Amino acid sequence: MGRKETDEMSAAQIFYPCMQCADVFFLKADICQLGMDQRKVNMLAREYAGAKKKKFKPVIISHHMIMGLKEGQEKMSKSDPDSAIFMEDTVEDLNRKIKKAYCPPQIIEKNPIVDYVKQIILAYYGVITITIHKEEGSETIDYTNYEDVERDYLSGKIHPSDLKPAVAATLNRILEPVRIHFASGEPK
C-alpha cells in the first residue's frame, strides 16, 4: 500500500492491509470513518466490494489526522503513549501530556495544541475559554471561532502557558463522561 511495485514487502506489509479491509466486512460496516492515512485500505474495501459484486460498497469518510503531541509527529502514536490522548487517560495523565506537548509560541504550523483547538475543541463545543495572563492582571476570553484564536496566538497575545491549561481543561471535560462510563463497570 503506497509503495512502488519493485519494493520488497514483508508478509506483515501484505497481510495487515488485507486484515484491515476484512474488518470492514466482518463488522458489516456501512460507513468507514478513519484518518486520511487509512484511505488506501478503505479504497481497497470498496474495490473488493465491487469485484465481489457485493450489494453495498462501504461509504468512506476520511478525516483530518490529529497530530501527535511531540515535535514533528504528523499523527498520534499508540506506541508512544505520551504522544497521544487516550479515552482512558486520567485527568492527571492528560494534564501532564498537554503540559509537556510541543507548542512553540506564535507558531501555528505543525503545532498540535493549536490543532486540537481547531479540530477538536471548537468543533465539539464551539467555544474555548482562555485566561490570558499579563503583567497588569489576567483577562478571560471566550473564543468561538478559530480565526480569532489563530490571530491572537500568532500575535503573542495568547501564550502557550495560557493555551495549554485551557486545552487540557476542555479535553478533560470532553472525556469525563467516558471516564464515568468505564468507572461504572458497565459493559464496554
Side-chain angles (χ1 to χ4, degrees):
M1 311 276 339
R3 290 174 173 69
K4 297 176 191 163
E5 288 185 33
T6 57
D7 290 349
E8 289 187 28
M9 296 175 69
S10 69
Q13 290 170 312
I14 295 168
F15 286 120
Y16 190 64
C18 296
M19 291 168 54
Q20 287 178 295
C21 180
D23 280 346
V24 172
F25 299 103
F26 178 76
L27 296 171
K28 298 179 174 74
D30 295 323
I31 301 173
C32 296
Q33 179 270 143
L34 294 168
M36 288 298 291
D37 65 328
Q38 302 298 314
R39 188 179 72 249
K40 290 181 181 180
V41 170
N42 283 331
M43 296 314 296
L44 177 64
R46 286 186 55 80
E47 289 172 11
Y48 173 82
K52 292 297 178 183
K53 303 198 184 338
K54 296 233 175 231
K55 190 173 181 178
F56 297 104
K57 290 183 181 180
V59 174
I60 307 302
I61 300 172
S62 299
H63 59 75
H64 171 80
M65 296 297 303
I66 302 298
M67 290 183 204
L69 295 171
K70 295 183 176 178
E71 183 176 3
Q73 288 185 314
E74 295 289 321
K75 65 178 189 170
M76 290 186 186
S77 171
K78 289 185 282 185
S79 61
D80 183 356
D82 281 341
S83 78
I85 303 297
F86 298 105
M87 299 297 281
E88 67 271 7
D89 279 349
T90 65
V91 171
E92 295 78 20
D93 287 338
L94 189 143
N95 289 344
R96 176 183 50 77
K97 290 177 182 185
I98 296 296
K99 186 175 183 177
K100 289 175 47 179
Y102 178 69
C103 186
Q106 297 179 284
I107 297 174
I108 298 293
E109 295 298 316
K110 299 186 180 181
N111 184 329
I113 300 301
V114 174
D115 189 52
Y116 286 26
V117 171
K118 181 178 184 180
Q119 301 296 335
I120 300 172
I121 295 171
L122 289 175
Y124 188 84
Y125 277 119
V127 65
I128 183 169
T129 302
I130 303 173
T131 300
I132 298 171
H133 300 281
K134 307 174 194 173
E135 287 182 22
E136 60 274 1
S138 61
E139 172 187 14
T140 301
I141 301 174
D142 288 334
Y143 288 93
T144 57
N145 67 66
Y146 175 73
E147 291 74 23
D148 291 343
V149 174
E150 182 177 294
R151 180 197 64 231
D152 286 354
Y153 193 82
L154 285 171
S155 75
K157 180 176 181 177
I158 300 174
H159 187 270
S161 63
D162 301 324
L163 184 61
K164 286 181 175 187
V167 168
T170 310
L171 290 175
N172 276 313
R173 199 165 33 137
I174 292 170
L175 290 179
E176 191 56 27
V178 176
R179 292 179 184 126
I180 290 168
H181 172 77
F182 285 116
S184 73
E186 291 291 318
K188 297 178 184 178

